Amino acid sequence: MVNYHTHTPRCHHAEGSEREYVAAAIEAGFTTLGFSDHAPYLFPSGYVSSIRMLPEELRGYCDTILALREEFRGRIEIRLGLEMEYYPDLFAAQMDFLKDYPLEYLLLGQHALYNEMERVYSGRPTKDPDLLRQYVDQVIEGLETGVFTYLAHPDLINFIGSPEEYDCQMRRLCRAANRLGIPVEVNQLGLAEGKQYPNPVFWRLAAEEGVTAVLGVDAHCPADLSDAAGREAARQFAADCGIRLTEELTLRRVALG
């Protein structure tokens, strides 16, 4: 049993120490635990995000996870990653910044459109087909960079407009993920908290498109890793939508330089 989607308090909306996450994962029977807290981003003009660690905190994050890896070696495999958005205008400088850190993988989680400073949250309900198309365009462009191991909560976009437009655009996303060989994530926390994702409409069409899918806990507290009922509910959700989950994941560490 594996999970590559785990946060830490550095993102300002998770709780519990890294050690507590590891202990909960071992107790629950996980064989691999990947930490992927919200990546610090190099924003211009002094903008400070409230949902991610600061750039100067990244070294401490890496050191903490790597120390726990050594301490718990033989009991659980610990991997070091980040969850990150794709912001086109900032991406080159961001990757140059990250190359100096011992990261093993990145997850793409497109929480905001454009560049976040414009505050267009992907999960805000919208009937605007242009925002849906922008979300899909930006996600596909991010996947095409080749640096992301998988796409977290692909159905985060909260589109409540035309069902035909949703079907068209999200099939386009699924086909791009298939073309690039990138898995997409059934998000356990979203299901447990009754969010708009995982969206059964998306996952039924994703099943028709034959996507490769993984289960991500999206742990924001150690108890999320201990939630066996939530894990089973997410697996059942996937099965009901016709999705077969895999735990076979190739980390795309090479693209980090």
Side-chain angles (χ1 to χ4, degrees), residues 36-193:
S36 52
D37 207 5
H38 292 282
Y41 230 107
L42 300 183
F43 293 107
S45 306
Y47 173 81
V48 178
S49 173
S50 62
I51 62 167
R52 61 186 73 249
M53 70 180 84
L54 297 172
E56 56 266 30
E57 293 179 294
L58 182 55
R59 178 60 65 187
Y61 169 75
C62 292
D63 290 347
T64 299
I65 304 308
L66 293 179
L68 287 169
R69 172 188 290 175
E70 292 305 312
E71 181 180 348
F72 288 93
R73 187 175 296 278
R75 298 180 64 189
I76 190 170
E77 182 178 35
I78 296 176
R79 310 308 290 260
L80 173 61
L82 291 168
E83 181 184 8
M84 193 173 85
E85 291 74 10
Y86 173 70
Y87 298 140
D89 294 343
L90 307 178
F91 187 71
Q94 177 72 2
M95 294 308 297
D96 187 60
F97 165 61
L98 294 181
K99 69 178 174 45
D100 294 328
Y101 294 87
L103 298 165
E104 297 179 278
Y105 69 99
L106 297 175
L107 306 182
L108 176 59
Q110 197 65 43
H111 297 88
L113 301 183
Y114 308 112
N115 61 18
E116 186 174 326
M117 295 175 289
E118 297 179 40
R119 298 190 179 279
V120 182
Y121 173 51
S122 300
R124 184 185 68 189
T126 181
K127 295 182 178 180
D128 187 346
D130 289 338
L131 286 181
L132 174 62
R133 287 191 288 269
Q134 173 61 34
Y135 174 83
V136 173
D137 285 346
Q138 200 160 335
V139 166
I140 292 175
E141 189 174 335
L143 295 179
E144 287 175 339
T145 65
V147 306
F148 294 102
T149 287
Y150 79 60
L151 174 59
H153 37 62
D155 45 346
L156 172 62
I157 184 71
N158 194 2
F159 184 72
I160 56 174
S162 162
E164 293 77 15
E165 184 70 15
Y166 184 84
D167 185 278
C168 175
Q169 295 303 324
M170 298 307 270
R171 285 185 189 275
R172 188 162 65 90
L173 187 157
C174 290
R175 289 167 185 170
N178 285 342
R179 170 173 55 86
L180 297 163
I182 298 176
V184 294
E185 176 200 74
V186 175
N187 189 274
Q188 179 179 321
L189 185 64
L191 185 67
E193 294 187 346

Side-chain angles (χ1 to χ4, degrees), residues 188 191-192 215 227-235:
Q188 179 179 321
L191 185 67
L215 178 61
D227 184 8
R231 189 159 53 250
E232 181 55 34
R235 288 174 174 157

